[in-house]
Amino acid sequence: MSPLLRAIIVLLVVLLAAHAPMLLNDGLFMDDWLVLKPRPDYFIDIDFLLNGAGHPIFYSYDTFANWTGAPIAVMVSLAVAGIVLGAISFALTATRLGLLDRAEAVGLALIVWTYPGYQLWAGKANAVYVFSFGLLFIGAWLLTLAFAASGLQRVLLRVACALVFLLSFALNSTIVLYAFVMLGLFVAIWRGGDASDGFVRRTWLASWRCALGYPELVLLPLIYWGSLNIWFKRIGVYAQHYDAHFPTLRELAGGWQAFFAAAYRDVLAHAVRAAITVPTIFILAAVLVGIVLLLLRSDTKPTTSRLGILAPLALAAILFLALSSPYLIAGLRPSSTHFYESRHLLMFGVPSALALLAFKRQAERWTAPGVAFAVVFGAGLILSIGMLWSDYVFMQARTLKQEALERNLAGRVQPAATVYALDDGFFDYPSRHVPFGLAEVTGMLRLAWGNQPFFGFALRAERPDILRRMDEARKAPGSAFHHFDPTGPQATISFQPGPGAAPNQTLVRKYYACRLLARCDVAEFLAQLAQVTIKLGPIAGVLPIEKDAAPSR
């Protein structure tokens, strides 16, 4: 077995082990309930993706997934494919270009594709994000092959490359990384030029050859954005949500600070708390990483040049600023406290991986390459995989709580109400919990009692004017909430921890024992998880919808 093949196998096995909990999580989260059908008779209206949000590629993926009748399995498959193929393509591209040795390539790929700042790895609709991210690196690998190919093979590789890059734009911010790929193409053409031309002429000629030699790649982002703005223009609340503007220097500084805190500082702080609370997860991560370190060894001489150390560190800083800029221009910021708001952080594992590479190369000045790799990347991978598993535990526990509520509701006769407030007692339980979103509560009601004009929300997660705001939102053009009706009779659902409730890690461990080892009945396990009661009548603390002063004609 060749050393490169062995390295790829190690990468594949570790990625599958790190993301194994994704395969067991069949739950929907937040906006997943608006675009995916957990059951064939579950009603959704995803036209808003085309006629409001301007996401035709998302629409195509979601439509196909629902058409198969197994959308959750399809989306999990997309996410796994994006993780595995993206990481392998990253490693192959880096080693083929001679930028990294095999151990460095695998180490960076593992850091990027286990990055825990992005907590939505188990999200189903957001699997398109993960797949798009992977497609970008697949496109880079195809471009690397096309650059050295000729004839028909070169033509086919370039067509495939353009198509893959186009599909990767489903996650709009990948265009930033695409710009860096194109910069790499320019550098390759520049290095192949005639040194006697001088720097200025050589640079101009390289730019000209890049534009003329690869016009499809140069025009691709323009074609994509032009198509969106002509045929799939954002309207209504989505036009307001993506209110592009030129941020001030103060906004940029505050935004970059928020991204740094959510992407790195908070991840470290959460890792320390998680390691103290649940050390078992990090011990298992250390065992897995130890196996990786035994199988991977640096196969190049130590990088002692100052450029080899400073270049990845500088690139990490530049990428961090560049990757966050599109969100800051749109007025968006991430949050580490709500898992859904981490969706802006998927690609921020790339800067952290490059920073670790710089630290590892600096450490090689003081010790052997193998020791430097083990210390720097070993510590980084233990933290990354440990936190990744911790987040998977949280998401699995969230799925179990949703399923417990839905099963309890399905087992009783529907009350005479269509608007429900959820009084979520797990919010006070001594284990991490985030209140359910309105799409989740409404989705559970529809799943339990059928396709009626339900509207549900978590009482503590919304403001008192939630009904009024939803009434306005459902009437807006391009709205995702046309099938929500906040005007019907009201009731309050009390959802309190039951005798089977436990901290997230204990709850998930018991669930895995039930599901995988058949140590208990899953239905009985869920029935013990929560106690549910329903009280009919106006919802306390929520403002009624205002009636028109004059009758409508």
Side-chain angles (χ1 to χ4, degrees):
M1 182 184 298
S2 69
L4 179 59
L5 178 59
R6 185 179 68 178
I8 294 301
I9 291 175
V10 170
L11 174 61
L12 175 62
V13 171
V14 175
L15 285 176
L16 291 178
H19 290 284
M22 179 193 297
L23 304 176
L24 297 173
N25 190 318
D26 54 4
L28 299 179
F29 307 99
M30 305 301 288
D31 291 352
D32 294 358
W33 290 91
L34 298 177
V35 296
L36 298 175
K37 304 176 72 168
R39 198 169 59 202
D41 61 345
Y42 179 88
F43 177 78
I44 58 172
D45 180 9
I46 64 172
D47 286 348
F48 74 92
L49 290 173
L50 283 179
N51 304 318
H55 284 308
I57 299 178
F58 265 72
Y59 176 86
S60 301
Y61 284 125
D62 292 336
T63 299
F64 171 77
N66 289 320
W67 173 78
T68 65
I72 292 175
V74 170
M75 289 304 184
V76 170
S77 300
L78 276 182
V80 172
I83 292 167
V84 170
L85 298 179
I88 291 175
S89 297
F90 175 91
L92 290 175
T93 302
T95 52
R96 182 181 179 89
L97 295 177
L99 300 174
L100 305 171
D101 66 34
R102 287 188 292 271
E104 289 177 337
V106 172
L108 261 72
L110 287 174
I111 291 292
V112 170
W113 291 103
T114 60
Y115 171 64
Y118 177 72
Q119 301 172 32
L120 259 178
W121 291 103
K124 303 308 181 290
N126 287 78
V128 180
Y129 281 14
V130 179
F131 187 62
S132 299
F133 187 38
L135 285 178
L136 181 87
F137 291 103
I138 295 173
W141 169 239
L142 293 174
L143 179 59
T144 303
L145 296 177
F147 190 81
S150 60
L152 179 61
Q153 183 185 28
R154 178 181 174 87
V155 173
L156 294 177
L157 283 171
R158 286 181 57 169
V159 170
C161 179
L163 179 60
V164 167
F165 277 134
L166 180 65
L167 291 177
S168 77
F169 294 163
L171 175 57
N172 294 333
S173 48
T174 56
I175 292 179
V176 174
L177 282 181
Y178 177 77
F180 282 86
V181 173
M182 293 302 295
L183 177 62
L185 175 63
F186 164 77
V187 171
I189 294 175
W190 185 89
R191 293 182 64 183
D194 189 349
S196 64
D197 287 332
F199 179 79
V200 175
R201 177 174 172 79
R202 187 178 179 184
T203 301
W204 184 86
L205 288 175
S207 302
W208 185 249
R209 289 166 184 162
C210 188
L212 289 185
Y214 296 86
E216 74 281 8
L217 299 184
V218 173
L219 296 175
L220 201 59
L222 300 177
I223 294 172
Y224 176 75
W225 280 108
S227 301
L228 289 186
N229 285 294
I230 293 173
W231 293 297
F232 306 103
K233 194 171 183 178
R234 294 188 177 105
I235 61 174
V237 295
Y238 296 99
Q240 300 169 13
H241 182 65
Y242 297 98
D243 184 19
H245 67 289
F246 289 104
T248 64
L249 290 178
R250 186 173 182 177
E251 286 179 314
L252 283 175
W256 283 326
Q257 184 178 4
F259 267 94
F260 183 83
Y264 307 117
R265 188 197 68 190
D266 292 351
V267 171
L268 289 173
H270 294 163
V272 171
R273 289 196 291 269
I276 294 173
T277 306
V278 196
T280 305
I281 289 180
F282 288 84
I283 293 173
L284 292 175
V287 171
L288 178 62
V289 172
I291 296 173
V292 174
L293 297 177
L294 288 175
L295 296 175
L296 284 178
R297 293 182 181 178
S298 183
D299 55 1
T300 59
K301 295 180 179 179
T303 305
T304 56
S305 70
R306 188 165 295 181
L307 178 62
I309 297 170
L310 293 179
L313 193 61
L315 183 57
I318 294 170
L319 270 173
F320 169 77
L321 299 177
L323 289 172
S324 53
S325 293
Y327 297 102
L328 300 182
I329 291 172
L332 303 174
R333 295 189 182 187
S335 171
S336 62
T337 58
H338 196 299
F339 69 93
Y340 191 69
E341 296 305 322
S342 74
R343 68 191 187 280
H344 307 316
L345 299 176
L346 172 61
M347 296 181 288
F348 282 78
V350 178
S352 61
L354 289 169
L356 286 178
L357 175 63
F359 298 153
K360 175 256 185 186
R361 289 180 174 179
Q362 177 63 38
E364 287 178 348
R365 290 187 164 195
W366 308 320
T367 186
V371 175
F373 181 84
V375 171
V376 176
F377 277 98
L381 284 172
I382 291 172
L383 183 148
S384 189
I385 295 175
M387 275 304 297
L388 178 70
W389 283 344
S390 179
D391 288 335
Y392 271 130
V393 165
F394 162 71
M395 296 295 277
Q396 184 64 68
R398 188 178 185 83
T399 295
L400 296 176
K401 294 165 190 174
Q402 286 187 144
E403 191 170 354
L405 176 58
E406 184 274 323
R407 287 188 178 215
N408 188 288
L409 296 179
R412 64 175 72 202
V413 178
Q414 178 196 338
T418 56
V419 177
Y420 292 85
L422 182 69
D423 181 12
D424 190 349
F426 282 94
F427 191 72
D428 299 317
Y429 199 76
S431 192
R432 183 186 176 193
H433 180 65
V434 176
F436 295 121
L438 57 88
E440 289 174 304
V441 180
T442 304
M444 287 184 278
L445 293 170
R446 288 179 178 272
L447 200 60
W449 292 326
N451 295 318
Q452 301 177 50
F454 291 115
F455 175 55
F457 60 94
L459 200 54
R460 302 196 200 185
E462 307 294 345
R463 299 199 302 263
D465 63 344
I466 175 61
L467 299 182
R468 297 177 181 180
R469 289 189 292 113
M470 177 51 63
D471 195 43
E472 294 174 0
R474 72 184 179 116
K475 298 173 183 177
S479 173
F481 309 113
H482 287 315
H483 55 302
F484 287 29
D485 185 2
T487 64
Q490 300 177 3
T492 301
I493 301 174
S494 176
F495 182 55
Q496 305 298 321
N504 289 344
Q505 62 274 9
T506 303
L507 187 67
V508 172
R509 186 173 66 249
K510 290 182 178 179
Y511 170 69
Y512 286 165
C514 282
R515 182 171 174 179
L516 301 178
L517 305 178
R519 290 184 177 177
C520 64
D521 180 69
V522 174
E524 183 179 346
F525 168 78
L526 293 173
Q528 296 294 315
L529 178 54
Q531 295 177 332
V532 179
T533 57
I534 301 176
K535 179 183 178 182
L536 289 172
I539 300 169
V542 174
L543 299 175
I545 295 176
E546 295 176 336
K547 303 295 182 181
D548 293 336
S552 59
R553 296 184 179 180

